[in-house]
Amino acid sequence: HIGSPASRLPYVTGTRAVPSITLAPSLKNVLSGDWADNINVTYGSSSSTLSSYSELNVSGVDPRDKVNRGWRFVLNNSTALTLGSGYRIFVGLDGSNDLVSVTGNVQTGNYSVPVSYTAAGTQGWNLLGNPYPCEINFDDFYAANASVIQPNMYIMDPYNSTNGTTFSNSIYYTYNVASGIEVEPRIGTTRTAGTGKYIPSSQGFFVNAPSSVTTGSVLFTESMKPLAPYTGVYGNFRQGEEKQLVRLSVSDGAGRDQAVVHFTSDAGNGYDELYDAQSLSSGSLNVYTVASGRNLVINGLKPATTGLKIPLVVQSKTLGRKRLAIDENTVSFGKLYIKDKYTGATAQIGTGTVYEFDITSDTNSSSVGRFTIVGTSGVVTDLGEENSAPSKGKMEVYPNPYSSG
């Protein structure tokens, strides 16, 4: 018998929103009530602060809408929590830090968890959980399960606000195996190099099964555990190796989101399951690029800037001043620019570049076609952007990923 690694879960008070996280049992035979003695949990069929997830649940059309509708309330404190599965839980409801500590039998050896793709369900979005009392390497996890999942990992992280007082509970840390690139929506964090691929103990994470997998299973193995602990894993302290990429974020003083465009000769210029990751975030403010009709938080392309044109979408549920920042630019084979079709402005992409813009009641200012990333291998004289009027299509707004019942 050992105690599960204590996970201190920060809370917010007063008028601040209460964050939710995806937690997972890291010991055998854990009941929902075992968490309730450390966290203030409420249960019920119409309202619960603890929810399970099922890929089989019927949902909508958009990928983010699909993953949102898989949640189902846990009804009582005697529900068995499935090892290898993740759960959503609200923390800090009693106005204090929550320290989770559970005692029981640890899982050793290989462990199998079912995954599925259901056309009438979430279409492959499965919420798993690290079943071991230590971190695991997602690169190794994907290598062992590549026939049944795509090479992307998603972890819900509510702490994406710029003011530290608002939490959307619908923003995701995303990691792609093929590129080794992660998208980190959290601001102001100190990261430890090389830990982006590690999933901490007691952490729930999403993976997506392709349509070819009606039913299948993923395997957790002892070989996925690192030989030594990585102190930077906990709290989403992650950072990958330097790549040829542009990492950009959008913020407005309340919300923040991040997206990455990276360049590798092995990627395709359309949607590429190996080097791309779809956007799951649906907070008050979101940013992503588009390829082959897919909204991508990580977009892998071949390394060429001549003729490059990448749709860049900013979604906001509020009007006002927004801030588009280039957090990192390591592209060395040409110049890239952000073109604002609404104002006609162009900004060269470089680390530290900041472009401020307004979203107003004019629907043209919130058009999904407003921004484009364009490129050239030399000096810009003509971006080749058509001079047509901006699109008047309104931005789509997606719900917080939670539904009752």
Side-chain angles (χ1 to χ4, degrees):
H1 290 71
I2 71 163
S4 174
S7 301
R8 186 169 294 280
L9 310 175
Y11 73 98
V12 287
T13 59
T15 59
R16 300 178 182 179
V18 176
S20 66
I21 60 172
T22 48
L23 201 60
S26 58
L27 300 172
K28 297 178 180 179
N29 304 318
V30 175
L31 301 178
S32 54
D34 294 331
W35 284 351
D37 60 357
N38 301 109
I39 305 173
N40 184 9
V41 182
T42 60
Y43 307 96
S45 58
S46 60
S47 179
S48 177
T49 58
L50 176 62
S51 295
S52 62
Y53 188 88
S54 173
E55 191 276 332
L56 302 176
N57 289 326
V58 176
S59 61
V61 176
D62 185 89
R64 289 166 292 184
D65 195 30
K66 292 179 187 302
V67 75
N68 292 349
R69 294 175 184 255
W71 304 105
R72 289 297 180 265
F73 293 143
V74 172
L75 302 181
N76 54 60
N77 63 2
S78 60
T79 300
L81 302 182
T82 304
L83 195 67
S85 296
Y87 295 83
R88 179 174 178 174
I89 188 167
F90 286 87
V91 296
L93 294 175
D94 57 356
S96 63
N97 285 348
D98 289 330
L99 182 64
V100 178
S101 181
V102 179
T103 300
N105 296 314
V106 330
Q107 170 63 40
T108 59
N110 295 351
Y111 188 76
S112 180
V113 179
V115 294
S116 59
Y117 178 98
T118 307
T122 71
Q123 295 190 354
W125 292 107
N126 292 264
L127 180 59
L128 306 178
N130 179 358
Y132 299 125
C134 69
E135 61 267 30
I136 60 171
N137 184 330
F138 186 75
D139 285 357
D140 294 340
F141 179 80
Y142 172 71
N145 299 290
S147 63
V148 292
I149 62 170
Q150 294 180 348
N152 302 309
M153 165 183 67
Y154 301 82
I155 295 177
M156 181 185 291
D157 188 345
Y159 295 95
N160 71 304
S161 66
T162 53
N163 61 12
T165 61
T166 56
F167 304 93
S168 68
N169 294 327
S170 55
I171 300 296
Y172 290 83
Y173 167 85
T174 308
Y175 172 76
N176 175 258
V177 171
S179 64
I181 289 174
E182 81 287 341
V183 170
E184 173 62 88
R186 186 180 296 192
I187 192 170
T189 352
T190 302
R191 316 200 203 293
T192 301
T195 60
K197 59 189 175 184
Y198 291 101
I199 303 173
S201 177
S202 306
Q203 178 68 67
F205 61 99
F206 277 101
V207 296
N208 188 244
S211 58
S212 58
V213 180
T214 304
T215 58
S217 62
V218 293
L219 187 66
F220 293 88
T221 69
E222 290 285 327
S223 64
M224 297 171 187
K225 299 177 179 178
L227 296 178
Y230 283 79
T231 57
V233 173
Y234 298 93
N236 282 345
F237 297 158
R238 309 176 171 94
Q239 181 62 52
E241 299 175 0
E242 182 174 295
K243 310 289 181 180
Q244 291 276 335
L245 60 80
V246 174
R247 186 185 303 274
L248 55 86
S249 62
V250 63
S251 59
D252 62 2
R256 182 182 185 271
D257 196 20
Q258 188 180 85
V260 169
V261 177
H262 69 101
F263 298 89
T264 175
S265 58
D266 294 330
N269 285 334
Y271 174 65
D272 187 322
E273 289 187 352
L274 190 61
Y275 288 97
D276 298 341
Q278 296 185 68
S279 172
L280 287 189
S281 297
S282 57
S284 62
L285 190 63
N286 299 122
V287 61
Y288 55 84
T289 59
V290 180
S292 303
R294 306 286 187 108
N295 301 337
L296 303 177
V297 67
I298 298 176
N299 187 355
L301 301 166
K302 292 186 179 301
T305 56
T306 302
L308 183 69
K309 187 183 294 184
I310 309 170
L312 175 67
V313 179
V314 175
Q315 290 185 322
S316 177
K317 296 179 181 179
T318 61
L319 304 180
R321 178 58 57 95
K322 313 298 174 183
R323 186 177 187 269
L324 186 61
I326 306 302
D327 301 326
E328 181 182 9
N329 175 46
T330 61
V331 174
S332 59
F333 52 82
K335 297 178 181 179
L336 296 174
Y337 301 81
I338 293 177
K339 172 72 173 179
D340 185 343
K341 194 174 181 180
Y342 180 67
T343 66
T346 300
Q348 182 172 338
I349 290 177
T351 300
T353 297
V354 174
Y355 179 72
E356 294 191 345
F357 62 97
D358 294 304
I359 293 180
T360 69
S361 57
D362 182 352
T363 56
N364 290 334
S365 71
S366 58
S367 166
V368 295
R370 175 171 178 173
F371 295 104
T372 309
I373 296 175
V374 297
T376 176
S377 57
V379 177
V380 172
T381 55
D382 181 4
L383 293 175
E385 186 74 7
E386 56 269 27
N387 293 318
S388 58
S391 167
K392 294 185 179 180
K394 293 182 178 179
M395 284 189 179
E396 295 176 281
V397 177
Y398 299 91
N400 184 300
Y402 197 80
S403 61
S404 61

